[in-house]
Amino acid sequence: MKNKNYPFYFTIAALALYSVFVVLPGFMGIAYSFTDWNSYSTEVNFVGLDNFRIIFSGAENYTDYILNTLFFSITTIVLKTLIGLGLALLLSSGVRRFAHLYRTIIYLPVVLPTIAVGLIFRSILNPRTGILNEFFRAVGLDSLAQGWLVNPDIAMLSIIGVDTWKGVGYIMVILLAGLQTIPQEYYEAAQIDGASSFDRLRFITLPLLMPAITVVTVLNLLYGLRVFDIVYVLTGGGPGYTTDVVFTAVFDEFSKGRYGVGTALSSVLFIFMTVISFFIVRRLTRNPVEA
Amino acid sequence: MKKLPFIVFGLVLLLVVGSIQAQTSVTLTYMASQDWVHDAEMELGAQFEQETGIHIDYQIIPSDQYFTLLQTRLNTGEATDIFGGQSGVTDLIVNYNVEVNAVDLTDQAWVEQMDPLVAAQATVNGRVYGLTLWNTLGTTWVVNYNKTIFQENNLSVPTTYAEFRSVCETLLGVGIIPLFEPVSSGWHHVLWFPELGPRYEEVTPGLAEALNANQTTFADDPTMLTVLEQLNELYTMGCFGDNVLADTYDMTTQALASGDYAMSVFNLTGPQSIAADYPDVDPDNFGYFVMPLADNQNLNVNPAGPTKFIYSGSEHIAEAQQYFDFLTRPESLQYLIDHDPTMPTLPFEGLTYNLLPSQQAFLESFAAENRGTVYQTAVTYVNPQWMDIGQDLTAMFIGDMEPLDVLMSIDERRAQMAQAASDPAWGE
């Protein structure tokens, strides 16, 4: 902001577009969450906190959806970061031949449309005809053949598995870029001092990779809290309500014509995400010397 | 600039010619959801144009966008001369507000010929607003069963739940999956519940009316609870097979044709669909019986279906009525039945249906007093929550909800919708 090379009015057009198409609808959404806006009536009346009372009352399953969303977010953050880091380490120093080919293959799922991935995995994970269970049965491991997307105990884990498969390439690329900024001399010096591989990972790689890890955590968190498409296409929130997340519930409310409750639910998530993002961005922008 | 007067003159001339042309030929605009208007009806539209000079401009909208678009156009006063909508008293009032948006057609000659059950669903406060040309009888959901499997296992058509359960046990004993139930599609397993409306009404006469007046609830009705408990028992017994939660509706013909499954809830004209997909299969190898939960022996008729309305703000109301008169001539209706494979029946008198003799005989075996309207049509605020009921039932199957919870959940959603719609029966 201290850069005065360009006058302020250069930003006006961008700010105006951003305000009209992003900020204003955001605030309108919050305003509508205090109303009974619905598809059955042209009148919109102020109802105070009624919609929020419905969400947190526990009479409907909204608290379960919020917990499911948090579970999904935290689990995918951990899995994607750990697997992404492992792959990045492997491809930056472990694998020498065809490293670029492997990177491309691992990144490929990221560019596939979620709907296509979902439909493919629905077919792969079908308990009777899916190739995963067919494979287990063919090699005599019948007990491992599961109702991946229809067993309430494992359906959410299956979604997390598919989402991790799809998203890990993206995380790997960011971490790979982070790894390549670490000077080789540090490792050589540590090696001369007798540091083991694990010591080098713990005392050199991880501390210097922290900014990249923070970035992927924020990205994963924001993605996880907003998750909708992969859940919708794999299970539609089912079986029953076991894999419903906040945005499948918002979608459901809108399709039922209860726009007020739908906007209230997304407002809750908006506030939660804003607070979390505020703290993470503060952590990110903190002076590295202080950190 | 010298050209300006000529340009203005040209434009004026165009407008005058255009308006003269518009006066001499009428074009009726007709907006409908995808799959509601078939080729045979468009062919009739062409014949109508030849006869009257009135052209029909069909505006076919993808089904997922149709309802929103129609509501927007109705609310902004820009609807087409004719618009399609799903009949059913709730939908007529809540979704289309026909008393304001549609022309009263009560005095039209064809109203007398329309099946009274079907006409009732296009009626609000004693006034008929819509013309329903839909295969309401052929789409009746009944249990289609494989006659060969039944004969080989000495099974007869069950008439009570106990007999039905025993049929399922016998089939399970010989390794045949009794019922194909595609729960993954989200809507099919719901059929077992509201389609039994005639039975609920038989046990508790006037129940639908009391529910609509908010004088009773689903949770208070013991027959409904019995139906859900029995459905849950069938699931728990394994009557739907191991793959039930992953099965989808598009697999139905395959499931029945393969002989892996003995029965499925399917349209009355389901065997024709099976034979179309698997030409080796004889459609007469399938028989029919009504869903026998709660000992039901009544035919479930859904008299609601895609219906044509004339927009009250149209400038061509008389021409649109003329089109409806043309469509409802006996020869036009018979043309639809003979040329549209999806319309083996139409809800009008004096027509020759395109049904198998066994299907015709099945329908005729139910006297008028043993036929009734399904509850998604007879009871308000049920149809709009169809998929939610589906999720509830799945939750019941996996043990997350009790049958009574499902009924309470339906009541809760009805109350929410009624309040949102400012239904006077629910008050404030």
Side-chain angles (χ1 to χ4, degrees):
Chain A
M1 289 305 282
K2 287 174 188 165
N3 186 346
K4 292 286 180 192
N5 285 346
Y6 299 103
F8 174 72
Y9 62 78
F10 269 37
T11 61
I12 288 176
L15 270 179
L17 283 174
Y18 185 77
S19 305
V20 171
F21 292 108
V22 180
V23 180
L24 188 64
F27 281 110
M28 279 169 69
I30 293 175
Y32 275 124
S33 64
F34 297 101
T35 68
D36 64 352
W37 182 31
N38 66 73
S39 66
Y40 299 101
S41 164
T42 44
E43 279 179 36
V44 178
N45 303 308
F46 180 77
V47 294
L49 294 171
D50 277 6
N51 293 329
F52 294 93
R53 202 170 296 134
I54 291 174
I55 292 168
F56 292 110
S57 67
E60 300 192 43
N61 301 325
Y62 298 112
T63 37
D64 288 346
Y65 306 156
I66 294 172
L67 290 176
N68 275 348
T69 311
L70 290 176
F71 176 70
F72 176 91
S73 306
I74 293 166
T75 320
T76 50
I77 289 170
V78 173
L79 282 176
K80 283 182 192 171
T81 311
L82 285 181
I83 299 172
L85 180 62
L87 289 169
L89 286 170
L90 211 58
L91 289 177
S92 69
S93 50
V95 177
R96 292 281 168 233
R97 298 182 67 188
F98 306 122
H100 286 291
L101 177 70
Y102 293 138
R103 277 180 214 178
T104 313
I105 290 171
I106 295 167
Y107 192 76
L108 203 61
V110 178
V111 295
L112 291 176
T114 310
I115 301 295
V117 169
L119 291 174
I120 292 166
F121 271 92
R122 267 182 79 133
S123 157
I124 292 174
L125 300 177
N126 185 295
R128 185 171 45 183
T129 54
I131 54 169
L132 185 62
N133 280 0
E134 291 280 357
F135 168 76
F136 283 134
R137 290 189 198 108
V139 297
L141 292 169
D142 293 40
S143 58
L144 288 182
Q146 297 287 333
W148 298 104
L149 295 172
V150 295
N151 180 342
D153 297 330
I154 55 172
M156 185 50 107
L157 297 175
S158 301
I159 297 173
I160 288 168
V162 174
D163 191 67
T164 304
W165 173 84
K166 186 180 181 325
V168 75
Y170 183 57
I171 303 308
M172 176 200 76
V173 166
I174 296 174
L175 294 178
L176 203 54
L179 281 176
Q180 283 166 354
T181 61
I182 303 174
Q184 274 304 313
E185 292 78 14
Y186 294 177
Y187 292 108
E188 288 163 7
Q191 219 163 357
I192 291 166
D193 289 343
S196 67
S197 304
F198 181 74
D199 290 337
R200 275 176 278 158
L201 176 71
R202 190 178 156 199
F203 295 109
I204 302 173
T205 310
L206 288 182
L208 291 174
L209 202 57
M210 234 15 182
I213 291 175
T214 317
V215 168
V216 299
T217 307
V218 174
L219 289 175
N220 276 334
L221 181 71
L222 295 183
Y223 167 81
L225 293 174
R226 287 185 298 116
V227 66
F228 168 74
D229 43 10
I230 195 78
V231 178
Y232 188 72
V233 73
L234 280 174
T235 64
Y241 298 93
T242 40
T243 58
D244 258 320
V245 287
V246 172
F247 273 97
T248 55
V250 171
F251 179 79
D252 203 35
E253 289 302 336
F254 271 82
S255 51
K256 272 192 260 177
R258 296 208 302 169
Y259 305 143
V261 181
T263 48
L265 202 50
S266 49
S267 296
V268 169
L269 202 66
F270 170 76
I271 291 163
F272 184 71
M273 280 163 69
T274 310
V275 171
I276 292 266
S277 305
F278 175 77
F279 285 111
I280 293 177
V281 168
R282 249 176 58 142
R283 167 81 180 79
L284 249 179
T285 50
R286 203 190 288 175
N287 190 330
V289 179
E290 284 175 35
Chain B
M1 289 303 280
K2 281 180 187 170
K3 286 179 185 168
L4 192 64
F6 291 103
I7 293 171
V8 171
F9 176 74
L11 283 174
V12 170
L13 197 67
L14 269 175
L15 277 172
V16 170
V17 171
S19 64
I20 289 169
Q21 257 197 334
Q23 277 168 11
T24 51
S25 68
V26 171
T27 294
L28 285 177
T29 50
Y30 174 13
M31 179 172 151
S33 175
Q34 174 191 4
D35 299 328
W36 286 3
V37 178
H38 300 137
D39 290 347
E41 188 183 327
M42 291 193 185
E43 286 156 21
L44 284 177
Q47 288 176 26
F48 176 69
E49 185 175 356
Q50 269 186 345
E51 196 178 297
T52 61
I54 301 169
H55 176 70
I56 314 278
D57 173 25
Y58 297 96
Q59 300 176 6
I60 309 298
I61 314 293
S63 48
D64 56 340
Q65 298 161 23
Y66 181 70
F67 184 64
T68 315
L69 188 63
L70 175 66
Q71 277 208 322
T72 310
R73 293 182 75 164
L74 287 174
N75 289 339
T76 53
E78 291 172 359
T80 48
D81 298 314
I82 301 171
F83 63 90
Q86 194 73 24
S87 67
V89 181
T90 324
D91 291 65
L92 254 54
I93 299 170
V94 175
N95 292 339
Y96 311 116
N97 194 7
V98 290
E99 287 178 300
V100 172
N101 289 320
V103 174
D104 176 6
L105 302 171
T106 317
D107 57 352
Q108 298 292 297
W110 49 263
V111 170
E112 291 286 304
Q113 265 89 54
M114 198 153 76
D115 181 326
L117 275 182
V118 175
Q121 295 307 321
T123 303
V124 175
N125 292 330
R127 310 214 150 267
V128 178
Y129 288 93
L131 164 61
T132 308
L133 288 184
W134 200 250
N135 176 29
T136 47
L137 272 180
T139 49
T140 300
W141 293 98
V142 290
V143 182
N144 283 221
Y145 72 93
N146 186 319
K147 286 181 184 169
T148 312
I149 294 178
F150 267 51
Q151 273 159 14
E152 284 170 0
N153 294 284
N154 297 319
L155 296 170
S156 53
V157 167
T159 54
T160 61
Y161 174 69
E163 288 173 17
F164 188 48
R165 199 191 128 116
S166 148
V167 164
C168 293
E169 280 169 343
T170 308
L171 290 166
L172 282 170
V174 295
I176 295 171
I177 307 169
L179 281 151
F180 179 74
E181 184 45 73
V183 171
S184 182
S185 292
W187 59 270
H188 184 275
H189 59 302
V190 182
L191 291 165
W192 289 96
F193 177 63
E195 287 277 329
L196 293 177
R199 177 62 179 155
Y200 305 139
E201 207 62 27
E202 186 180 42
V203 177
T204 316
L207 179 61
E209 216 172 302
L211 285 164
N212 291 343
N214 193 24
Q215 288 159 354
T216 185
T217 61
F218 278 57
D220 284 337
D221 187 68
T223 319
M224 289 183 172
L225 188 62
T226 305
V227 164
L228 292 190
E229 283 167 351
Q230 290 175 346
L231 182 64
N232 201 24
E233 186 176 47
L234 292 176
Y235 175 86
T236 319
M237 283 165 61
C239 295
F240 303 140
D242 294 337
N243 209 44
V244 50
L245 295 180
D247 284 333
T248 51
Y249 179 65
D250 57 351
M251 296 154 65
T252 308
T253 57
Q254 187 205 359
L256 287 174
S258 67
D260 293 340
Y261 292 82
M263 303 174 271
S264 184
V265 173
F266 205 17
N267 288 148
L268 179 63
T269 48
Q272 282 96 318
S273 309
I274 300 170
D277 291 349
Y278 300 92
D280 295 344
V281 176
D282 177 9
D284 276 322
N285 189 38
F286 293 92
Y288 321 91
F289 59 88
V290 290
M291 288 173 258
L293 300 189
D295 301 340
N296 172 50
Q297 282 304 293
N298 298 297
L299 184 69
N300 42 307
V301 179
N302 188 352
T307 296
K308 303 171 205 312
F309 301 92
I310 299 175
Y311 177 47
S312 55
S314 163
E315 289 173 6
H316 303 297
I317 291 174
E319 288 86 349
Q321 286 175 339
Q322 215 178 326
Y323 179 56
F324 283 13
D325 285 339
F326 178 85
L327 283 179
T328 50
R329 286 180 195 169
E331 60 271 26
S332 300
L333 295 170
Q334 195 60 52
Y335 183 90
L336 284 176
I337 289 178
D338 296 342
H339 292 84
D340 187 346
T342 65
M343 297 283 172
T345 76
L346 285 173
F348 277 82
E349 289 173 0
L351 301 171
T352 311
Y353 293 160
N354 207 359
L355 293 173
L356 296 174
S358 59
Q359 292 163 345
Q360 189 85 38
F362 175 77
L363 287 177
E364 284 165 5
S365 70
F366 292 91
E369 63 269 23
N370 288 328
R371 296 174 183 217
T373 303
V374 295
Y375 260 27
Q376 67 266 35
T377 301
V379 177
T380 51
Y381 313 114
V382 173
N383 203 36
Q385 54 165 309
W386 191 275
M387 298 303 278
D388 300 294
I389 300 175
Q391 269 194 302
D392 283 350
L393 291 178
T394 312
M396 176 183 83
F397 290 154
I398 62 174
D400 281 357
M401 282 177 99
E402 293 297 320
L404 188 61
D405 296 337
V406 176
L407 295 177
M408 287 162 66
S409 173
I410 294 171
D411 286 326
E412 173 72 26
R413 283 189 295 259
R414 287 189 77 225
Q416 285 167 0
M417 279 187 268
Q419 270 150 12
S422 306
D423 189 323
W426 267 260
E428 278 303 309

